Amino acid sequence: MLTHAELKLRALANPEVKIAYDSLAEEYTLAHELLHAREAAGLTQAEVATRMQTKAPAIARLEGGGRHSPSILTLRKYAAAVGCQLEVRLVPKGG
């Protein structure tokens, strides 16, 4: 049986899979940042949801990455709920 790392490596050897995977990098980077901030704050998804006046499944969707594109307002609320401030930057390509 393949490990996750081995399966990923094998899948990414396919150029079409690699293109699709790379196209999601920004969304999953954001999802990782959200999850990391929540964990650093020692909060559950339910606790963040309560602070944002929403429900835990909405937080799960935010942290799940992929198709859901949260608004800046939602990201600000999330940041405040986990004791952070939102910072949005544009970084030159290749930099």
Side-chain angles (χ1 to χ4, degrees), residues 7-74:
L7 183 61
K8 180 179 172 183
L9 188 62
R10 182 180 286 181
L12 292 177
N14 178 328
E16 290 179 16
V17 172
K18 175 108 171 78
I19 289 169
Y21 180 85
D22 290 347
S23 74
L24 296 173
E26 291 172 340
E27 287 86 353
Y28 286 106
T29 297
L30 173 59
H32 175 77
E33 287 290 320
L34 295 174
L35 181 61
H36 178 74
R38 179 175 59 78
E39 289 175 343
L43 299 170
T44 65
Q45 288 181 340
E47 290 168 329
V48 172
T50 298
R51 291 178 180 202
M52 290 179 64
Q53 299 179 339
T54 190
K55 301 198 187 278
I59 304 307
R61 283 191 300 275
L62 278 175
E63 293 178 355
R67 293 180 168 213
H68 184 75
S69 295
S71 69
I72 295 295
L73 178 59
T74 298

